[in-house]
Amino acid sequence: MDRGLWFSFLEGHLTLSCLASHGVHCKGLSGGYLEPRAIKEDPYVMARGTELEGYCIDLLEKLSLMLHFKYKVGVVKDGKYGALGPNGNWSGMIGEVVRKEADLAVAPLTITSVREDAVDFTQPFLHTGIGILLEKESALEEASLFHFLTPFSKETWACILAAYLLSSLCLFLAARLSPCEWDGNEENRFTLLDSLWFGAGSFTLQGTVPHPKSLSVRIISAIWWLFGIVLLTAYIAGFNFVLESGSEQLSIQTFEDLVKQRQLEFGTMEGSSTLLYFKNSKNPIQQMVYESMNKKKDLVLVKNYPAAIQRVLDSNYAFIGESISQDLAVARHCNLVRSPEVLGARGFGIATPKGSSWTNKLSVAILKLGESGDLDYLRSKWWESSCSHEDHEKWSPLKPQALGGIFLILALGLVFGMIIALVELSKKSRRTAEQEKVSAGVCVSAGSPGKLISAS
C-alpha cells in the first residue's frame, strides 16, 4: 500500500491524516490510524456503490468519533472468518490480524477460547447463540384432529370441566333443598341428569327445561350463564386468532427433533465456530448433530451465510448458525422461521492483535455505547422486519390464571346459591313445623269435650 498524506475538513477544522503501509502507523495524530478488516455479510457490511455500509460500519464510525482515530476498512481476502488449519496457521480475518496485516477485525466474529489464544477480543457488541433456521412449509406439521382445543391450555380445559360438574351438582343440591322446586307430589323437578343437561344447554346458549323457580337455583343459574358467556367469548376470540396465524405448528422445536427427523438435511458453515461448538460438545444430542454433519460434510456444509439462506429457501435444508443472523433472515424472508431452542450463549467481539493497546480502549467505548442505548438503536435499525405477522408469534393458549376472575365469581355464586337454598329450606321447615303445631293444638282442643263426656 502506498504511503501518503491527505487533508480532511471535519467539524470546521482542517485535519491532517495519513495513509500508511502495512504495519506502519501514523504518529502525532490524536488517535492514530487503523486498518480494520471486515467480511461482506448482510447487514454487518454491505457494498453500496464504491462505499460500504452496515451495522459494523456504523459501529466503527461511532467508535472512531469516541476514540478519535482514522480508519480505512478493507474486505478480507479469502472471505472467511478464521479457522485454525492443520499446519497451525489461521485463515480469514483472524489470520490477517495474527499476521498484523490488519489492526482490527470488525465483523460478526464469535468470541471463542481457540480464537482468544491467537488474538485479543473486546467486550461483545452483540449477543447471540446457536439456532436452527427453517423454511416454513417444510418445517410445519399439519394440525391434529383436536386442534379446536388449542385456544385453551390443558389446565384450563380441566378447570372448565371441574367447574361444570361442580355447578351441576350445586344446582341439583339447591333444587333438592329449596321447597319451591318441589311439585305437588313432593318430587324434585331437578334430578342429577336434568342438572347436567341444564348446565350443558346453558353453556351453549340453548334454552333448557325445567326452568328454575327458587331464588337459590336462579342465582346459581345466572352465575353459570355469566361464566359460560365469558368463556365462550374468550374461546371464539382465541380460535379466530389461531385460524389467522395458521393451523400448523413447527415440527422441529429442538435440536433433538432435528436429529430424529429424516425429511430435512441440516448443516452449518464450514470452518465456523458453530461447527467447532458441536465438535467439542459432550452433550449426546449435540454429538449426534456433529456426527451427522461430519458424515455428509461435503453435502451439508456451506461456504457463507447467503449460500446457507438460499439453500434453506430452495431445498429441504435446515441451517444451524448464529441466532442473531437467523433473526435477520427471518425479518427479510417471511417464509423463514427460527426454531425456539437456542444453544451456547455467546457474543460478537472486535478482534485485535495480542497485546494491542486498542483492546481496552475499544472495550470501554463499546460498554459506553451499550449504556447509552446506541447499540440497541443500531440493532433495531439494521434488523428491521419487513413482515407483518410478528404479533401472531406472541400468542399462547389462555392459562387458568387469565380467567381466574370468572372462576372466582362462579365459586362465590355457587356458595351464595347454596346458602340461599339452606335458608329457604329452613324457612319452609319452620313454617311447616308451626303449621303442624297449630294443627295439633286444634285437634287436642277439639277432642277434649269428647273425653269429658266419656268419663261421665
Side-chain angles (χ1 to χ4, degrees):
M1 181 184 295
D2 295 331
R3 301 183 186 181
L5 297 173
W6 78 88
F7 293 88
S8 61
F9 193 76
L10 180 63
E11 297 179 352
H13 299 283
L14 191 63
T15 305
L16 176 65
S17 304
C18 70
L19 182 64
S21 57
H22 294 309
V24 179
H25 297 285
C26 302
K27 306 294 183 182
L29 298 177
S30 59
Y33 171 80
L34 298 176
E35 293 186 30
R37 285 293 180 271
I39 188 169
K40 286 186 179 180
E41 181 178 324
D42 187 9
Y44 303 99
V45 176
M46 300 171 290
R48 186 183 63 180
T50 58
E51 301 293 329
L52 295 175
E53 66 174 5
Y55 180 94
C56 289
I57 302 302
D58 286 355
L59 177 62
L60 263 176
E61 181 64 22
K62 290 183 178 295
L63 292 174
S64 69
L65 292 176
M66 294 176 68
L67 301 178
H68 309 290
F69 64 83
K70 291 290 183 179
Y71 65 93
K72 184 176 182 180
V73 180
V75 178
V76 61
K77 297 181 181 67
D78 61 6
K80 296 181 179 180
Y81 289 91
L84 186 61
N87 56 359
N89 295 327
W90 282 89
S91 62
M93 288 183 291
I94 298 293
E96 294 194 17
V97 173
V98 169
R99 295 187 297 270
K100 296 187 178 179
E101 297 173 6
D103 299 305
L104 307 173
V106 185
L109 199 59
T110 307
I111 302 173
T112 64
S113 58
V114 177
R115 288 173 175 170
E116 191 77 48
D117 284 338
V119 297
D120 287 339
F121 277 100
T122 64
Q123 288 287 328
F125 57 84
L126 275 176
H127 295 274
T128 183
I130 299 175
I132 309 170
L133 185 65
L134 304 158
E135 202 274 327
K136 282 185 180 179
E137 292 299 324
S138 60
L140 291 176
E141 60 182 10
E142 292 298 325
S144 66
L145 292 175
F146 299 97
H147 193 61
F148 67 91
L149 300 175
T150 304
F152 293 153
S153 65
K154 295 178 181 178
E155 295 82 2
T156 303
W157 283 116
C159 291
I160 292 173
L161 178 60
Y164 165 66
L165 295 176
L166 180 61
S167 299
S168 299
L169 180 62
C170 288
L171 192 68
F172 168 70
L173 293 176
R176 294 282 293 179
L177 293 173
S178 177
C180 298
E181 297 295 338
W182 301 340
D183 59 16
N185 298 324
E186 298 296 319
E187 292 182 359
N188 193 283
R189 297 180 306 121
F190 273 93
T191 65
L192 183 58
L193 289 178
D194 288 335
S195 299
L196 291 171
W197 178 246
F198 183 89
S202 302
F203 194 69
T204 55
L205 304 182
Q206 299 297 313
T208 57
V209 290
H211 299 296
K213 292 182 178 181
S214 67
L215 178 61
S216 58
V217 177
R218 287 180 177 181
I219 289 175
I220 293 176
S221 301
I223 292 297
W224 177 247
W225 291 340
L226 175 63
F227 179 82
I229 290 173
V230 172
L231 277 185
L232 194 60
T233 304
Y235 176 84
I236 293 174
F239 195 61
N240 181 63
F241 201 96
V242 171
L243 294 177
E244 288 182 355
S245 60
S247 59
E248 307 90 355
Q249 294 181 344
L250 280 179
S251 60
I252 299 175
Q253 299 279 340
T254 65
F255 283 87
E256 184 175 0
D257 296 335
L258 183 66
V259 172
K260 290 181 177 179
Q261 59 82 39
R262 294 292 179 265
Q263 289 77 28
L264 300 177
E265 291 184 332
F266 56 89
T268 186
M269 201 151 42
E270 60 182 22
S272 64
S273 59
T274 300
L275 184 62
L276 187 64
Y277 174 86
F278 285 98
K279 181 180 180 180
N280 297 332
S281 176
K282 304 301 181 184
N283 184 287
I285 298 297
Q286 295 170 18
Q287 286 178 346
M288 293 172 63
V289 172
Y290 175 75
E291 289 171 2
S292 178
M293 292 191 296
N294 193 47
K295 286 179 182 177
K296 300 181 288 184
K297 58 183 178 182
D298 294 334
L299 297 176
V300 299
L301 298 184
V302 294
K303 295 187 179 298
N304 52 55
Y305 223 91
I309 295 174
Q310 195 60 45
R311 185 166 179 181
V312 173
L313 291 169
D314 295 342
S315 62
N316 292 331
Y317 181 77
F319 177 68
I320 302 173
E322 303 291 349
S323 60
I324 194 168
S325 299
Q326 292 176 347
D327 290 339
L328 175 71
V330 172
R332 301 286 174 84
H333 304 277
C334 298
N335 55 336
L336 294 181
V337 64
R338 179 173 64 80
S339 64
E341 186 179 30
V342 176
L343 301 176
R346 57 186 63 196
F348 293 156
I350 298 175
T352 62
K354 276 289 185 182
S356 173
S357 61
W358 284 101
T359 308
N360 185 61
K361 296 177 183 178
L362 291 169
S363 292
V364 174
I366 289 172
L367 290 174
K368 289 181 179 179
L369 289 175
E371 293 167 357
S372 64
D374 286 334
L375 294 182
D376 291 333
Y377 167 74
L378 293 180
R379 174 75 162 79
S380 61
K381 173 184 176 181
W382 292 103
W383 270 258
E384 184 179 2
S385 176
S386 59
C387 305
S388 58
H389 55 267
E390 293 83 0
D391 290 339
H392 296 304
E393 298 172 358
K394 300 177 183 177
W395 179 86
S396 61
L398 283 176
K399 299 293 191 298
Q401 294 84 349
L403 299 170
I406 191 64
F407 278 97
L408 177 62
I409 292 175
L410 176 64
L412 294 175
L414 296 179
V415 172
F416 185 62
M418 294 303 298
I419 292 174
I420 296 297
L422 291 173
V423 170
E424 289 177 335
L425 178 63
S426 176
K427 286 184 177 180
K428 178 67 175 179
S429 300
R430 189 181 301 112
R431 189 180 303 113
T432 301
E434 290 175 354
Q435 290 177 353
E436 290 179 351
K437 186 182 297 185
V438 170
S439 299
V442 171
C443 293
V444 170
S445 61
S448 296
K451 290 179 180 180
L452 291 173
I453 295 172
S454 177
S456 63

